[in-house]
């Protein structure tokens, strides 16, 4: 996906036929290592094709895919639900507090 994204960014930037070097420069600017074989496959697949048509065709395929989620979960009985939820919250908070920095400091 990263190679397709880099290719599309190059095209959006005005380069109608991005090369592997162009895509590598885009990916390298954000610290992503490039697998030359995979990048070549993507470039070979996309070169010479109208990207707007490919995107429109892909959107049509996505529209036909079922993406419905299940319905909402049934509501629990009102009697014991609130105390159980409060106990669970307290338990989760205590676990989070004990693992706040897990032995290292992310920002310093």
């Amino acid at each position: 996906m990263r190679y397709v994204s880099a290719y599309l960014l190059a095209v959006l930037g005005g380069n109608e036929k991005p090369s592997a070097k162009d895509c590598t420069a885009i990916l390298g600017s954000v610290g992503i290592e490039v697998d030359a074989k995979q990048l070549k496959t993507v470039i070979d697949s996309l070169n010479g094709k109208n990207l707007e048509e490919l995107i429109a065709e892909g959107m049509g395929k996505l529209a036909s895919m079922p993406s419905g989620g299940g319905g909402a979960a049934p509501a629990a009985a009102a009697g014991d639900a609130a105390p159980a939820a409060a106990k669970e919250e307290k338990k989760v908070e205590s676990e989070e507090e004990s693992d706040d920095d897990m032995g290292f400091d992310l920002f310093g």
Side-chain angles (χ1 to χ4, degrees), residues 10-94:
V11 171
L12 287 172
N15 186 349
E16 290 187 21
K17 292 188 178 186
S19 66
K21 183 179 177 182
D22 299 326
C23 293
T24 301
I26 291 170
L27 293 170
S29 70
V30 292
I32 296 175
E33 293 182 25
V34 175
D35 179 351
K37 186 177 179 180
Q38 288 182 344
L39 179 59
K40 182 181 181 331
T41 301
V42 169
I43 290 173
D44 290 345
S45 298
L46 296 175
N47 262 341
K49 295 185 180 174
N50 184 332
L51 294 179
E52 292 174 0
E53 290 175 7
L54 287 175
I55 291 171
E57 183 181 320
M59 293 298 285
K61 290 180 181 179
L62 285 175
S64 68
M65 289 181 60
S67 62
D80 294 326
K87 288 179 185 177
E88 187 176 325
E89 272 185 41
K90 288 179 184 177
K91 183 179 179 182
V92 170
E93 287 176 14
S94 65

